[in-house]
Amino acid sequence: MCAYILDFPEIDKTMVSRVGGKGANLGELCRIAGVQVPPGFCVTTAAYNTATGNHATLHALLDQLSLLQADDRKNISDVCAQIRATIESIPVPEDIATAVSQQLLLLGENKAYAVRSSATAEDLPTASFAGQQDTYLNITGTAAILQHIRQCWASLYTDRAATYRLQQGVEHHKVSLSVVVQQMIFPEVSGIMFTADPVTSNRKVLSVDASFGLGEALVSGLVNADNFKVRDGQVIDRKISNKHLTIVAAENGGTHTQPIGPAQQDQPSLTDQQVVALSHLGRKIEAHFGSPQDIEWCLAGDTFYIVQSRPITTLYPVPEAPDQENHVYASVAHNQMMTDAMKPLGLSFFLMVTKAQMYPAGGRLFVDISRFLATPSGQKTILNTLGKSDPLTRDALTTIMERDFIQPLPEETKEQPAGSHLPTNEGKPPVENDPAIPAELIRNSQASIELLKQNIQTKSGLALMDFIPEDIQQSRKVLFEPRSLQIIVAAVDALSWLNDNIEKWLGEKGVAGTLSQSVPNNVTSEMGLELLDVADVIRPYPEVVAFLQQTTNDHFLEELPALKGGTAAQEAIAAYLRKYGMRCVGEIDITKTRWSEKPLSLVPLILSNIRNFEPGAGTRKFEQGKQEALQKEKELLQRLKALPDGEQLAAETQQKISMMRNFLGYREYPKYALVSCYLIYKQALLKEAEQLVQANVIQEKEDIYYLTFQELREVIGSRQLDNGMIHQRKEEFKRFEKLTPPRMMTSEGEIINGRYKRDHLPTGAIVGMPVSAGIIEGRARVILNMADANLEEGDILVTAYTDPSWTPLFVSIKGLVTEVGGLMTHGAVIAREYGLPAVVAMEHATQLIKDGQRIRVNGTDGYVEIL
């Protein structure tokens, strides 16, 4: 076996570091019975490293490239051009050239070859670098092949390849390149086969794109391909395109385009029989690799040749079904307004807290709603719960119901109260409209949290790991006692009743938004206003403000007392952290860094408040909202009394307003209490992690985040851990972070997308769900990371989702647009309380709306116009 040359049959999947992803996959393909792979060999990474390893100029340029940002296109292009020129000027070392020449003699020196790049960071399970390096077709002669090997080496530094590595966090110095030299096939037809539908993600539907001639015409977008869909060995759909051009081999090497005759242009490139035969090969290859594949193929004569196969890295993982039946999964992430991937400890903790039957996939949780879809009563329940909070989910539910995808349950089970575990007041005594109830519930919860703080101090090791699940159950009993859920449901019902009936009686939409401003007991909206009070303490001290503007020290609080006014500032921030320090972005994941762990994250928000507001703004905002709500109530009651039966309508409306205002604020409290416990549990677990680091069981404290709670318990007990598993899970988490979770998917992997169905909207309007009434115009600030927020008063916040940690930003904005959300999710509740027009569940909002654009948000009818 030569260090520089490996024949395909000598290669397997373990050799990525020697032959790159493409080369390793070709070696594996050769091992699959019945799969024809054109013969060839790989020029290994050892050859590339030998040729370039000691080149000082090259390495200096690589250092320069590593310092650039992925969006610095001009400098990337300039440096890459220098790197390519440098590599192409390096002669192929004599021993490498000899090895290539000898291998060509064995295969046929005068035959034509494809010369392809195969990078060590290419076609991996975690990232597809397809098309990032170059391919050269129909190359003949040893000299020409050696020349194109050098060009392949240089193509490791095309602008697109270097930029992609910068985006993916792959170090340039650590990437090597192998070159695949493969005998050319001159096919009648070629194309690409996906063993999972690339449009719907359905794993049971295989998709074939095909066109006449070489596949480069299709890959480069030169022609429209024929497309065939195959399921269970049957062609279930076909789209035959009009094909005008094909790419064929040129006599003197290389390729050229040529027109397709009129008689052939609209003919299918494959028969159904050929498509089915190809699909069988696809399923065989998929089974060998163990995941859905993106396969390049060609047809010459009666033989299908496979020239490449790589994993499809963009598919969202499917939750593991408990059986072979059809299942439908709804996203918990969308309901919780936190669509980021969660680490294993975060997932397992959330499951312990919720005690719900959920299935992890892609670092998120999904709930199986199949049993609801199996009965008419269950369908009604799910439409009125999940569907009511999110129109896109409702439309997706309707789509799946129309298909009969889920088998109906036997007739005798249809009277079972499907979904009875969901919170509802139906059939229960009316909730007493007593404003003292929320205050009592909050007191009980606070007492429970104080008791937890005391009790956990005495626990460590396995005793701690046994204590936490027990305490979670006790906390749940306090936090979710019957009255807690009853008053939340009563508030939500009252809000919906007001919106529905006032629109029906008076023709006014979304009145609950104004009526719910500045309600009592809303710990989240209070959090935003109290940060304005912190700004009031700091504003009079220019020395403190200047210090905060330049500090990057995570321990900045310790430095404040040395400044004039610093002690007051320190006390104000510390008091705020004592009350709200358990919060952070994505707070339902216990592994996320809390504000109290990184107080520096609050500094930009405090500075924004100092810059944008006058003293006393927090009190004024609350009082203004309260007065607007009272004025709106008075106005509505007067208008209702003028209607037939107006006195009765007004009395009923007043009762609903009272119930909503008494109870709606409490809806934000259970989550606040939950994350308060989270911080206490987390601090105790990190103490255990310190012990594990000292015992050399783990390398750093944060490694415990990549273990489930039960796994962590076992590690604490045994003091043993496979650190390779931690590394693997870290890599897996990086992949999950890049995925976008679907609202709904089936056990076949199909993503069911809902659509808005509305007429009479302005041309070009972007549609979402109206959750807080009003129409406002302003500058769009597209912010994906709260730490990057630089808002001015009057801006409109456009983001993927908001959770309670975003609330301090709400005091500065005058409108809200999010990609995720519903009528009662956090952003909607706080937007209404602050009187901000808001539209949520607007798919791709952060891509369709550009930062800095002037937009109009219609929170009454649920759309945005770009002005």
Side-chain angles (χ1 to χ4, degrees):
M1 186 182 291
C2 173
Y4 298 134
I5 299 294
L6 286 173
D7 198 27
F8 288 168
E10 297 177 291
I11 297 168
D12 63 33
K13 61 186 177 184
T14 68
M15 298 183 179
V16 171
S17 64
R18 299 178 66 186
V19 297
K22 191 175 291 172
N25 289 348
L26 281 166
E28 284 293 320
L29 285 168
C30 290
R31 297 166 184 270
I32 307 174
V35 174
Q36 298 293 323
V37 179
F41 61 92
C42 289
V43 182
T44 67
T45 55
Y48 170 82
N49 293 331
T50 298
T52 63
N54 296 318
H55 203 287
T57 302
L58 174 60
H59 286 280
L61 288 167
L62 292 181
D63 289 338
Q64 193 176 337
L65 182 62
S66 297
L67 296 174
L68 299 177
Q69 298 297 315
D71 58 357
D72 190 352
R73 294 182 183 179
K74 183 181 185 307
N75 283 323
I76 289 173
S77 181
D78 290 345
V79 176
C80 282
Q82 294 177 64
I83 292 173
R84 290 195 303 274
T86 301
I87 293 175
E88 287 184 26
S89 71
I90 299 171
V92 177
E94 188 175 341
D95 49 352
I96 296 173
T98 300
V100 170
S101 178
Q102 288 174 347
Q103 195 67 22
L104 288 172
L105 282 172
L106 289 173
L107 291 175
E109 187 179 14
N110 296 322
K111 291 181 178 177
Y113 292 88
V115 183
R116 302 174 186 267
S117 306
S118 179
T120 53
E122 183 179 51
D123 297 343
L124 305 178
T126 55
S128 177
F129 287 67
Q132 299 303 319
Q133 283 83 42
D134 287 348
T135 291
Y136 304 97
L137 301 178
N138 195 26
I139 310 301
T140 57
T142 302
I145 288 171
L146 288 172
Q147 175 193 337
H148 285 88
I149 286 171
R150 282 193 306 177
Q151 288 177 238
C152 281
W153 288 344
S155 77
L156 191 56
Y157 294 96
T158 61
D159 295 0
R160 64 183 183 274
T163 300
Y164 194 68
R165 286 197 295 275
L166 287 168
Q167 291 169 338
Q168 300 293 322
V170 176
E171 293 184 35
H172 301 294
H173 284 284
K174 292 186 177 179
V175 178
S176 294
L177 191 116
S178 168
V179 178
V180 173
V181 180
Q182 186 173 29
Q183 197 174 111
M184 279 289 296
I185 300 293
F186 299 103
E188 293 86 43
V189 185
S190 56
I192 300 168
M193 169 168 51
F194 297 95
T195 63
D197 190 323
V199 177
T200 68
S201 298
N202 194 322
R203 270 53 162 194
K204 291 198 172 181
V205 175
L206 185 145
S207 180
V208 175
D209 284 352
S211 191
F212 297 117
L214 290 166
E216 266 51 37
L218 189 153
V219 173
S220 63
L222 200 61
V223 297
N224 292 323
D226 295 340
N227 178 257
F228 305 87
K229 298 286 174 69
V230 183
R231 183 182 176 118
D232 298 328
Q234 302 255 334
V235 176
I236 59 171
D237 187 40
R238 66 182 64 74
K239 291 184 175 64
I240 308 304
S241 298
N242 201 276
K243 302 170 284 293
H244 295 279
L245 293 171
T246 182
I247 291 182
V248 296
E251 285 186 22
N252 298 321
T255 62
H256 66 87
T257 59
Q258 92 180 16
I260 295 174
Q264 196 183 12
Q265 287 177 4
D266 58 359
Q267 292 299 304
S269 49
L270 295 174
T271 66
D272 282 6
Q273 187 177 7
Q274 288 172 323
V275 171
V276 170
L278 181 59
S279 75
H280 291 320
L281 286 176
R283 291 298 179 210
K284 186 180 286 190
I285 294 167
E286 178 185 64
H288 178 85
F289 284 104
S291 67
Q293 297 288 298
D294 166 359
I295 300 166
E296 296 175 27
W297 58 269
C298 56
L299 175 65
D302 295 325
T303 302
F304 281 108
Y305 292 91
I306 305 300
V307 295
Q308 190 47 247
S309 184
R310 62 180 66 88
I312 307 175
T313 60
T314 55
L315 294 174
Y316 198 87
V318 184
E320 288 188 20
D323 51 44
Q324 297 302 308
E325 301 296 321
N326 288 343
H327 293 267
V328 177
Y329 300 98
S331 166
V332 175
H334 287 77
N335 182 261
Q336 288 293 324
M337 290 290 282
M338 207 290 275
T339 53
D340 293 346
M342 294 170 68
K343 299 182 181 76
L345 186 63
L347 287 171
S348 63
F349 234 96
F350 189 74
L351 287 171
M352 276 201 301
V353 168
T354 57
K355 296 295 287 183
Q357 182 67 47
M358 298 179 191
Y359 299 87
R364 286 86 171 178
L365 291 168
F366 293 82
V367 61
D368 187 350
I369 60 171
S370 309
R371 66 188 186 91
F372 296 107
L373 301 177
T375 68
S377 60
Q379 290 181 3
K380 182 179 178 183
T381 297
I382 207 75
L383 280 172
N384 289 331
T385 50
L386 291 182
K388 188 173 183 179
S389 64
D390 182 354
L392 293 174
T393 297
R394 186 180 187 89
D395 189 61
L397 284 166
T398 303
T399 299
I400 202 72
M401 287 174 190
E402 290 171 350
R403 289 190 194 171
D404 296 326
F405 181 75
I406 299 297
Q407 283 287 102
L409 287 175
E411 193 65 34
E412 62 267 20
T413 68
K414 290 187 179 180
E415 297 307 315
Q416 297 294 324
S420 57
H421 72 287
L422 295 169
T424 174
N425 285 337
E426 192 173 338
K428 297 178 182 175
V431 177
E432 183 183 0
N433 188 11
D434 181 359
I437 295 175
E440 181 187 347
L441 292 170
I442 290 170
R443 282 196 305 273
N444 292 344
S445 176
Q446 288 296 319
S448 173
I449 293 169
E450 290 304 315
L451 185 61
L452 165 61
K453 288 178 182 176
Q454 294 172 25
N455 291 340
I456 206 167
Q457 296 296 325
T458 63
K459 310 296 186 217
S460 63
L462 292 178
L464 172 68
M465 303 306 287
D466 291 336
F467 169 79
I468 288 175
E470 292 170 6
D471 188 79
I472 286 172
Q473 296 318 306
Q474 287 302 116
S475 298
R476 280 177 53 83
K477 288 177 184 176
V478 175
L479 202 53
F480 300 111
E481 68 146 286
R483 287 184 304 166
S484 179
L485 290 176
Q486 284 175 352
I487 65 171
I488 290 172
V489 173
V492 175
D493 287 347
L495 183 147
S496 297
W497 186 96
L498 287 164
N499 277 340
D500 293 345
N501 286 290
I502 297 301
E503 184 177 359
K504 180 170 66 176
W505 296 333
L506 298 177
E508 187 172 346
K509 293 181 179 179
V511 294
T514 304
L515 294 168
S516 62
Q517 289 185 77
S518 301
V519 296
N521 298 312
N522 190 323
V523 69
T524 306
S525 63
E526 290 166 5
M527 178 176 70
L529 298 175
E530 287 178 31
L531 199 61
L532 287 170
D533 297 339
V534 173
D536 287 350
V537 173
I538 296 172
R539 189 181 290 105
Y541 302 108
E543 196 175 338
V544 175
V545 174
F547 169 77
L548 293 178
Q549 286 170 338
Q550 57 80 35
T551 186
T552 57
N553 183 359
D554 281 336
H555 303 287
F556 74 95
L557 284 173
E558 298 167 13
E559 301 177 32
L560 284 174
L563 308 173
K564 183 180 180 181
T567 300
Q570 183 191 52
E571 289 173 355
I573 296 171
Y576 188 85
L577 289 170
R578 282 194 294 274
K579 190 170 182 181
Y580 301 113
M582 77 294 290
R583 311 222 84 149
C584 65
V585 175
E587 62 190 11
I588 64 169
D589 180 354
I590 196 172
T591 71
K592 293 278 190 175
T593 303
R594 310 283 141 175
W595 286 346
S596 60
E597 295 172 315
K598 191 178 177 65
L600 193 64
S601 57
L602 288 177
V603 169
L605 306 177
I606 294 169
L607 292 171
S608 175
N609 288 345
I610 291 171
R611 184 174 63 248
N612 292 329
F613 296 98
E614 296 296 322
T619 302
R620 283 197 306 276
K621 276 180 173 288
F622 186 83
E623 189 58 32
Q624 180 184 341
K626 184 177 178 181
Q627 291 306 315
E628 287 179 9
L630 292 172
Q631 185 59 38
K632 190 65 179 179
E633 178 180 3
K634 183 178 178 181
E635 174 213 322
L636 289 173
L637 297 179
Q638 287 177 346
R639 290 166 64 191
L640 287 170
K641 287 175 182 176
L643 299 176
D645 299 323
E647 291 293 337
Q648 181 181 339
L649 298 180
E652 193 172 359
T653 298
Q654 189 169 29
Q655 190 270 337
K656 293 293 184 184
I657 292 172
S658 173
M659 182 165 284
M660 180 185 70
R661 288 193 61 81
N662 282 338
F663 297 154
L664 189 62
Y666 176 78
R667 186 195 176 282
E668 289 288 303
Y669 182 80
K671 192 174 186 183
Y672 169 83
L674 178 65
V675 296
S676 297
C677 295
Y678 261 31
L679 179 57
I680 299 167
Y681 299 142
K682 182 182 182 184
Q683 289 170 334
L685 291 174
L686 286 175
K687 285 183 181 178
E688 293 299 316
E690 287 174 4
Q691 299 292 322
L692 294 175
V693 171
Q694 290 173 12
N696 292 319
V697 177
I698 57 176
Q699 295 174 354
E700 54 187 11
K701 286 191 301 181
E702 291 75 14
D703 284 353
I704 68 168
Y705 297 161
Y706 297 92
L707 299 169
T708 66
F709 185 83
Q710 184 57 37
E711 288 170 343
L712 177 57
R713 188 186 189 283
E714 292 168 6
V715 170
I716 288 173
S718 68
R719 287 295 197 264
Q720 292 183 339
L721 175 65
D722 175 10
N723 278 292
M725 181 181 75
I726 298 293
H727 175 74
Q728 182 182 346
R729 288 190 178 173
K730 286 181 178 179
E731 291 301 310
E732 185 178 61
F733 180 73
K734 288 179 185 175
R735 179 162 56 98
F736 291 163
E737 282 186 299
K738 297 167 189 170
L739 298 174
T740 301
R743 277 179 167 79
M744 192 170 301
M745 69 189 308
T746 73
S747 48
E748 295 180 350
E750 182 180 1
I751 293 172
I752 311 295
N753 290 313
R755 294 180 181 177
Y756 289 107
K757 295 171 182 174
R758 290 195 212 145
D759 300 322
H760 313 301
L761 291 176
T763 302
I766 309 169
V767 187
M769 179 182 183
V771 292
S772 184
I775 300 172
I776 202 77
E777 292 182 11
R779 180 179 67 160
R781 294 311 314 270
V782 180
I783 298 171
L784 300 180
N785 184 343
M786 199 177 84
D788 299 330
N790 182 20
L791 292 165
E792 295 179 10
E793 190 173 15
D795 284 344
I796 296 170
L797 175 61
V798 181
T799 189
Y801 69 86
T802 64
D803 61 10
S805 70
W806 288 71
T807 301
L809 294 182
F810 283 31
V811 298
S812 295
I813 61 175
K814 63 178 180 181
L816 174 69
V817 180
T818 68
E819 294 180 339
V820 178
L823 185 66
M824 294 309 300
T825 47
H826 158 76
V829 171
I830 304 304
R832 287 192 295 270
E833 181 150 344
Y834 283 1
L836 307 173
V839 182
V840 302
M842 180 177 288
E843 290 202 302
H844 311 301
T846 59
Q847 298 166 43
L848 297 171
I849 301 169
K850 306 301 181 189
D851 186 56
Q853 283 182 325
R854 188 165 181 81
I855 62 173
R856 179 184 297 128
V857 176
N858 188 319
T860 305
D861 293 317
Y863 62 86
V864 169
E865 296 173 89
I866 296 174
L867 305 178

